[in-house]
Amino acid sequence: MAVAEADGAPDPTVRNLLEQESLKWVFVGGKGGVGKTTCSSILSILLASARQSVLVISTDPAHNLSDAFQQRFTKFPTLVRGFNNLYAMEIDPKVENDDFANEGMEGFLSELTNAIPGVDEAMSFAEMLKLVQTMDYSVVVFDTAPTGHTLRLLQFPATLEKGLEKMMALKNKFGGLLNQATRLFGLGDELNEDAMLGRLEGMRDVIEQVNRQFKDPDLTTFVCVCIPEFLSLYETERLVQELAKFEIDAHNIIINQVLFDEEAVESKLLKARIKMQQKYVDQFHMLYDDFNITKLPLLPEEVCGVQALQNFSRHFLTPYKSALKRGTVEELEQRVSILKSALQEAESELDRLRKGKQVA
């Protein structure tokens, strides 16, 4: 669990994840737009330095892994440039009809997916997990879709169970008719209900096996990413509660886009923002006092490309400290320098405007 600091509080970094050598599955999730992809990319980079082989998978239909690494990824694992043990892939958690067209299962699947919402995603996820298990990576990092989709993903075993029940009902109701139709149209055994049932059973076995691993805290953990705002706090609490319900371990929270109070900030708007953020950061610490809570600074630029990700990764291992502290000689010198520069710019702009008026 959480590594304790000298004062008894958990370590405010992700070192515990790197030190947990038994970890096989790491889920990264949270509300949309909080920086999940950046965090999962950096976690995979850090894990690659500690583990034999790492695979990072995006299950979000709006894929951003390619943007984060500035490299094109597909539904097949691709080696990330600059690494020899880090692979990435982007999958759409939906069944593609082409996958089943050759097996004469289109009509059946359409009936099944209409009857049970989410079963198409469940079957696709089962296929993907089956693929991943054959590849034997040391650890797999999931960059998940926003919270609602993630929770559906955790419900897949139950969803597939419903699918099997529906399949059995269809078999009992139309079994003989289905077999006659397949023979009549010369489809052979492709549409045989036993073959379909076997396919679904196989998927359920994979999902159940993986589900048992998901519930093992030695093998699986969930990293919640958020920002210091009310809606994100609310969504994180919902996510933590749901994870507890599904018996999935979670003891790391990453608070992204934090403005630090000691920064040399002059803007009234930013000062108000810092005050608002601090209120929610305090609430996170109060609600999750036994979690490893890592705070990441808001940057003036996007974190894109392997080099930028590696540079930013230091804040995951060492608590962020601003370069200049308010009230020091260095900070006052920098403020004077910034104000002089701003004054020169304003004077230049004023001169341009005056000359423009004289010309007119």
Side-chain angles (χ1 to χ4, degrees):
M1 279 296 288
V3 180
E5 281 190 305
D7 61 359
D11 176 29
T13 72
V14 300
R15 286 184 190 276
N16 61 310
L17 299 176
L18 306 186
E19 290 164 3
Q20 192 176 334
E21 292 178 10
S22 61
L23 264 185
K24 170 75 177 171
W25 312 96
V26 179
F27 287 89
V28 180
K31 192 172 175 289
V34 295
K36 294 187 298 295
T37 300
T38 301
C39 290
S40 53
S41 302
I42 290 174
L43 280 174
S44 65
I45 286 172
L46 293 172
L47 284 163
S49 66
R51 304 291 284 274
Q52 195 173 344
S53 59
V54 180
L55 174 66
V56 57
I57 300 176
S58 170
T59 61
D60 185 346
H63 298 301
N64 291 311
L65 269 187
S66 294
D67 297 325
F69 285 105
Q70 292 186 331
Q71 181 181 343
R72 182 81 188 95
F73 298 121
T74 65
K75 59 182 179 180
F76 302 105
T78 305
L79 188 65
V80 177
R81 281 196 291 267
F83 295 87
N84 59 11
N85 66 337
L86 175 59
Y87 297 81
M89 62 189 282
E90 296 180 331
I91 62 146
D92 283 320
K94 279 195 168 63
V95 165
E96 296 172 20
N97 282 337
D98 292 348
D99 294 347
F100 295 97
N102 297 332
E103 299 175 36
M105 291 175 71
E106 285 175 289
F108 160 69
L109 270 184
S110 128
E111 164 76 23
L112 196 59
T113 52
N114 288 338
I116 307 128
V119 80
D120 54 343
E121 287 177 285
M123 292 172 79
S124 175
F125 191 65
E127 290 285 9
M128 185 270 297
L129 286 176
K130 204 184 287 184
L131 176 71
V132 168
Q133 281 191 314
T134 62
M135 295 173 185
D136 198 32
Y137 290 97
S138 306
V139 61
V140 179
V141 179
F142 288 96
D143 172 31
T144 68
T147 310
H149 294 272
T150 304
L151 298 178
R152 275 220 311 279
L153 181 142
L154 300 174
Q155 291 167 335
F156 282 168
T159 305
L160 271 187
E161 190 65 52
K162 283 183 189 170
L164 276 166
E165 286 171 14
K166 180 70 178 176
M167 175 62 197
M168 290 304 294
L170 285 172
K171 180 185 175 183
N172 294 335
K173 194 171 180 182
F174 301 114
L177 188 64
L178 198 58
N179 277 344
Q180 286 173 25
T182 55
R183 283 195 294 273
L184 185 65
F185 293 108
L187 294 172
D189 292 329
E190 289 175 340
L191 205 60
N192 181 286
E193 77 270 8
D194 289 327
M196 294 180 197
L197 196 62
R199 180 75 182 274
L200 217 55
E201 280 279 9
M203 287 179 181
R204 185 178 67 167
D205 291 343
V206 173
I207 283 270
E208 284 184 347
Q209 182 191 342
V210 172
N211 196 47
R212 280 194 294 275
Q213 293 184 24
F214 284 178
K215 291 183 178 183
D216 184 344
D218 290 332
L219 296 174
T220 305
T221 195
F222 203 106
V223 179
C224 304
V225 182
C226 55
I227 55 177
E229 293 179 6
F230 171 74
L231 284 177
S232 191
L233 174 70
Y234 173 80
E235 193 92 346
T236 304
E237 176 61 14
R238 176 184 161 216
L239 182 56
V240 169
Q241 296 289 342
E242 288 289 326
L243 290 169
K245 194 166 84 180
F246 288 114
E247 302 172 56
I248 291 175
D249 173 72
H251 53 265
N252 277 79
I253 289 177
I254 294 174
I255 307 178
N256 200 12
Q257 301 175 18
V258 177
L259 288 161
F260 286 81
D261 188 31
E262 61 266 26
E263 295 278 13
V265 171
E266 287 308 301
S267 158
K268 284 184 179 177
L269 186 65
L270 282 178
K271 283 180 181 176
R273 192 100 186 138
I274 287 170
K275 194 174 176 183
M276 180 272 288
Q277 282 195 354
Q278 190 55 50
K279 179 176 75 173
Y280 292 113
V281 168
D282 291 343
Q283 285 187 29
F284 272 109
H285 280 282
M286 188 176 68
L287 282 167
Y288 308 107
D289 57 349
D290 58 341
F291 277 58
N292 297 78
I293 297 178
T294 306
K295 292 188 289 183
L296 302 177
L298 176 67
L299 297 184
E301 70 283 333
E302 284 186 294
V303 183
C304 287
V306 171
Q307 193 56 57
L309 291 167
Q310 286 176 324
N311 292 343
F312 194 53
S313 70
R314 69 182 186 275
H315 302 309
F316 284 63
L317 301 176
T318 307
Y320 175 79
K321 283 186 172 57
S322 59
L324 292 172
K325 287 214 169 184
R326 183 178 291 279
T328 61
V329 171
E330 293 81 8
E331 184 262 333
L332 286 168
E333 283 174 348
Q334 190 190 60
R335 276 164 63 192
V336 168
S337 170
I338 290 168
L339 287 168
K340 279 181 179 175
S341 174
L343 181 62
Q344 283 175 349
E345 281 182 27
E347 285 175 340
S348 299
E349 184 67 23
L350 185 60
D351 281 346
R352 277 198 298 275
L353 284 171
R354 280 174 174 162
K355 282 174 185 173
K357 277 189 175 180
Q358 285 169 6
V359 169

